[in-house]
Amino acid sequence: MLTFENLTHAAGLLADINVIIVIALASLYGLFVGAMPGLTASMATALLVPVTFFMEPVPALAAMVAMEAMAIFAGDIPATLIHIPGTPSSAAYVEDSYALTKQGQASRVMGVQLAVSVIGGFIGTIILIFLAPVLAEVALNFSTYEYFWLACFGLSCAVMVSGGSTSKALLSLLIGLLLNCVGIDVAVGFPRFTFDNPDLFDGFSFIPVMIGMFGVAEILRNVLVKESRIAPFVAQTGNIFKGVWEPIAKNWGNMFRSGIVGTAVGILPGAGADIAAWVTYGLAKRFSKTPEKFGQGTYEGIVAASAANNAALAGAWVPALVFGIPGDSITAIIIGVLYMKNLQPGPNIFVRSPEIILAVYGTFILANILLIPFGWLAIKLASKVLRVPRNLLYPVILMFCVVGAFAINNSVFDIGVMLVFGVAAYFMECNGIPVAPAILGLVLGDLLERSFMVSMMKSEWSLVPFFERPISAVLGIIVILIWTTPVIIPYIKRKMAKA
Amino acid sequence: MRFNNMVIGIAAILSGAFIFIYSQSFPDLGDGRPGASLFPMILSALLVIVGLVQIPSGVKNAKNGETLVTRLPEFNLHGFCNFLVVVMCVLFYIYASDFLGFIITSFLIMFVLTLTLRARVAVSIAVSLGATLCVYLMFNKMLMVPLPVGLFSF
């Protein structure tokens, strides 16, 4: 894959002036959304899809990569200045950031966050570049048995890592999988749950569902609360890079460990940048000599979690590109984009379209380099961005949602789908039912059913071949362990307690 | 609006039971091998089980004084009206855009929404008009999305 010809081809694709303009605009969009409390990177990605729908694959993917990298960093800005995380990924260290702001160190904190976000982003990108092709090489030998277990693994991880009640996460997953059953089935071509409505024959269109679950649900959540006055904050006139080196140098090992752990968490299906931030923050506290300072304003937690959330972004692309299994909600949407561009994610994409993969790598590198000037600009303009009135912003976002949902198939039916899923997602979250497993169910449902039905037909309805091939057997055992551990461990603990 | 786990459990059980029964009408692969109904039946059976799992915690919460439906603090009259206006605006777009065209429908929706969210009238008109034209130019002129033209041809 890594031939001189492919490299020059990918570099040529990225050097196109249109691609550069797209990356710059997507970066500004990502910074704005990230810095705006209440708007998430997933929502921004869903709203970007209708625009990328009309682009070539490289600018479309480049826009998404640049946007998500910027948005995740920009979430740190309101967390530091006004004690409200811009995105959930900045929530883990908001107390430390704001505590340091109150000590007059806001510029330095944001400088540190920017620097470690760039370093974290590079750690994730390097792992993506080296790990993805190796895994793709292995995955080329996968048959439907391995894919079935991989889909099970992805869905099981989504349930386990979603946080909160496992049974409610499972409920969410089942809702997603059942929604995926709507439309023509893979085994006999029978229209299921379509109720003679031709709009449902192809199932629910993925993008309107995403726009509804992320965009409309977000708007509904925000319009319910009265706009509170944003806390006044001290103008940031100082040099943000002044004094940045010291906390980074003190936390060198912590930062690299967090970058690697963040990437690993990103690779896990269903676990994204926000979980990576919480996990690494917890790890940093555990390894710290002064854990009591966490939450009171320490750079240790900030460096760890801020590096991890940007590293997780690239990590999430590993399973998405290699297996077609999303690492987080953002890559779930991106998989939809890849299908729209006739680029089926999986190991074959590394063989058939290596220039696209290399261009994705290149964009990650470029986005992390651009994060320095763009991030600096965002910090300088933060006071203006944070003063954009939310009561004017939400109606505009709603209109983008409506037109975006319509634009995919030019169908008003899709706007209805968007609305229904938006309201449903809002009520799901109100009731502690996480949305992410449902989304993974929708994305992976087809792979799960198709690989299972094809495997069963190949094996003439015997389950034995699911454990006959070595990788399939290992994956199967891992999945069964994931399913049974939550039942077995409490049972063993009870037995030991009795003894 | 938060529902007691009992309500969630019963809803899951009823939905699962309906899907399970409905799926039995789907054709099989012949020779008694399951076909289109296999996955929906497995998933709906799991849905019933997950619904049953919710019930004990719902009963426990009910004993501790939780009502079947709890109104969340933000779901007050003000919040509920805003929520309803957003939903009604999207429905209005679905049913009126073909008749009124994109520009009028979009302007009306944004004007109503911004006013509902307590923006001043002049600002509301300016933002609704500006944003409508931006969205129109971007999607209709640049991206060639055939937005509804309506009876007035724009």
Side-chain angles (χ1 to χ4, degrees):
Chain A
M1 190 186 103
L2 203 65
T3 61
F4 180 70
E5 192 189 347
N6 287 340
L7 275 173
T8 49
H9 190 183
L13 288 170
L14 276 181
D16 187 295
I17 185 70
N18 292 324
V19 178
I20 292 167
I21 292 171
V22 164
I23 289 176
L25 292 175
S27 299
L28 293 173
Y29 168 63
L31 288 171
F32 177 78
V33 173
M36 188 60 71
L39 307 182
T40 62
S42 306
M43 189 209 81
T45 314
L47 283 182
L48 195 59
V49 174
V51 180
T52 57
F53 183 66
F54 301 93
M55 294 178 187
E56 292 293 313
V58 169
L61 294 172
M64 300 216 155
V65 170
M67 191 281 297
E68 62 172 342
M70 302 288 166
I72 295 298
F73 159 69
D76 294 350
I77 299 173
T80 308
L81 294 178
I82 56 169
H83 200 206
I84 306 173
T87 66
S89 314
S90 304
Y93 47 101
V94 65
E95 297 301 335
D96 291 285
S97 306
Y98 195 63
L100 288 166
T101 296
K102 285 198 282 191
Q103 293 168 25
Q105 298 188 45
S107 291
R108 191 187 189 201
V109 172
M110 288 189 288
V112 170
Q113 286 165 340
L114 179 55
V116 295
S117 292
V118 171
I119 297 169
F122 271 113
I123 293 171
T125 306
I126 290 165
I127 294 174
L128 167 72
I129 291 171
F130 285 100
L131 186 63
V134 176
L135 285 178
E137 198 82 31
V138 177
L140 275 172
N141 300 315
F142 282 11
S143 71
T144 52
Y145 302 108
E146 284 84 5
Y147 274 108
F148 170 74
W149 287 123
L150 268 177
C152 288
F153 176 72
L155 295 171
S156 309
C157 285
V159 171
M160 302 306 282
V161 302
S162 64
S165 156
T166 308
S167 68
K168 284 193 174 169
L170 185 57
L171 179 65
S172 170
L173 173 67
L174 290 171
I175 292 170
L177 288 172
L178 279 165
L179 287 169
N180 192 68
C181 289
V182 175
I184 307 279
D185 99 287
V186 292
V188 290
F190 181 78
R192 297 184 301 202
F193 308 110
T194 54
F195 305 103
D196 296 327
N197 182 349
D199 284 315
L200 288 173
F201 280 5
D202 287 331
F204 290 111
S205 202
F206 187 62
I207 300 307
V209 172
M210 292 294 110
I211 294 176
M213 289 183 111
F214 291 118
V216 176
E218 202 84 57
I219 293 167
L220 291 174
R221 221 176 351 263
N222 281 300
V223 297
L224 275 171
V225 287
K226 278 186 182 167
E227 188 171 352
S228 56
R229 286 176 186 276
I230 289 172
F233 53 88
V234 184
Q236 304 299 312
T237 50
N239 179 0
I240 62 160
F241 295 113
K242 194 178 174 187
V244 160
W245 176 245
E246 190 200 327
I248 294 177
K250 273 187 185 167
N251 289 287
W252 203 247
N254 175 18
M255 182 178 66
F256 277 97
R257 183 189 60 223
S258 302
I260 294 165
V261 173
T263 312
V265 173
I267 292 171
L268 271 182
D274 44 349
I275 294 175
W278 283 109
V279 168
T280 51
Y281 186 84
L283 273 178
K285 191 175 178 180
R286 197 169 179 173
F287 287 115
S288 172
K289 288 174 186 161
T290 53
E292 71 282 357
K293 286 187 181 169
F294 277 67
Q296 315 291 321
T298 173
Y299 281 100
E300 276 179 271
I302 295 174
V303 167
S306 200
N309 57 18
N310 270 69
L313 296 179
W317 280 70
V318 175
L321 288 175
V322 178
F323 307 117
I325 291 174
D328 59 2
S329 306
I330 296 175
T331 41
I333 300 168
I334 289 165
I335 285 178
V337 173
L338 287 170
Y339 276 112
M340 280 191 327
K341 304 286 175 200
N342 288 325
L343 292 166
Q344 195 177 351
N348 284 324
I349 197 174
F350 288 77
V351 181
R352 285 187 201 142
S353 313
E355 72 286 356
I356 302 279
I357 300 296
L358 290 172
V360 168
Y361 297 163
T363 313
F364 263 109
I365 294 168
L366 199 60
N368 280 305
I369 293 169
L370 284 176
L371 188 51
I372 300 169
F374 276 77
W376 174 83
L377 187 71
I379 292 168
K380 290 290 163 195
L381 296 175
S383 58
K384 289 184 177 61
V385 172
L386 287 168
R387 285 196 182 107
V388 172
R390 250 52 69 79
N391 56 354
L392 299 179
L393 190 63
Y394 297 137
V396 178
I397 294 175
L398 182 73
M399 198 37 67
F400 269 96
C401 288
V402 168
V403 177
F406 174 83
I408 301 300
N409 298 315
N410 299 332
S411 157
V412 179
F413 179 80
D414 283 342
I415 302 175
V417 168
M418 172 201 80
L419 179 64
V420 170
F421 278 86
V423 174
Y426 168 76
F427 280 107
M428 280 170 74
E429 289 204 332
C430 280
N431 287 283
I433 303 170
V435 171
I439 289 160
L440 252 79
L442 261 169
V443 176
L444 292 181
D446 188 58
L447 176 69
L448 183 77
E449 185 174 8
R450 191 179 295 274
S451 55
F452 181 76
M453 293 306 277
V454 172
S455 301
M456 291 303 274
M457 285 180 210
K458 276 196 301 194
S459 67
E460 298 194 331
W461 299 89
S462 165
L463 290 171
V464 177
F466 282 91
F467 295 95
E468 274 182 346
R469 294 162 61 94
I471 297 177
S472 177
V474 171
L475 285 170
I477 290 165
I478 292 171
V479 169
I480 290 168
L481 279 175
I482 292 174
W483 290 347
T484 50
T485 308
V487 182
I488 290 171
I489 288 187
Y491 176 77
I492 294 170
K493 275 185 181 169
R494 271 201 306 272
K495 281 275 174 196
M496 283 171 75
K498 274 184 188 172
Chain B
M1 208 72 83
R2 185 181 290 133
F3 297 98
N4 176 289
N5 280 356
M6 247 194 307
V7 178
I8 296 172
I10 291 168
I13 292 166
L14 291 177
S15 312
F18 168 75
I19 296 166
F20 192 87
I21 295 165
Y22 187 79
S23 304
Q24 287 179 333
S25 62
F26 298 161
D28 58 24
L29 284 167
D31 302 335
R33 288 174 302 170
S37 63
L38 181 64
F39 252 65
M41 281 171 72
I42 294 172
L43 296 172
S44 54
L46 287 172
L47 192 63
V48 171
I49 295 168
V50 173
L52 286 169
V53 170
Q54 303 299 321
I55 301 231
S57 66
V59 173
K60 193 177 157 192
N61 291 345
K63 278 183 182 167
N64 290 336
E66 191 188 75
T67 50
L68 289 181
V69 182
T70 310
R71 189 172 60 79
L72 295 171
E74 65 265 28
F75 229 91
N76 50 24
L77 186 65
H78 168 267
F80 180 68
C81 285
N82 288 354
F83 186 97
L84 213 59
V85 169
V86 172
V87 173
M88 296 305 283
C89 280
V90 179
L91 289 175
F92 178 74
Y93 185 93
I94 292 172
Y95 291 106
S97 59
D98 265 349
F99 175 70
L100 292 175
F102 172 77
I103 293 180
I104 295 176
T105 320
S106 166
F107 173 79
L108 286 175
I109 286 176
M110 280 200 262
F111 181 62
V112 169
L113 260 177
T114 44
L115 279 186
T116 309
L117 297 175
R118 312 273 167 92
R120 281 181 294 164
V121 177
V123 176
S124 186
I125 291 173
V127 169
S128 306
L129 200 62
T132 295
L133 289 175
C134 280
V135 174
Y136 179 77
L137 290 174
M138 188 174 163
F139 280 91
N140 194 267
K141 297 295 173 194
M142 277 171 65
L143 302 175
M144 305 293 176
V145 176
L147 295 173
V149 284
L151 289 179
F152 309 105
S153 304
F154 62 86

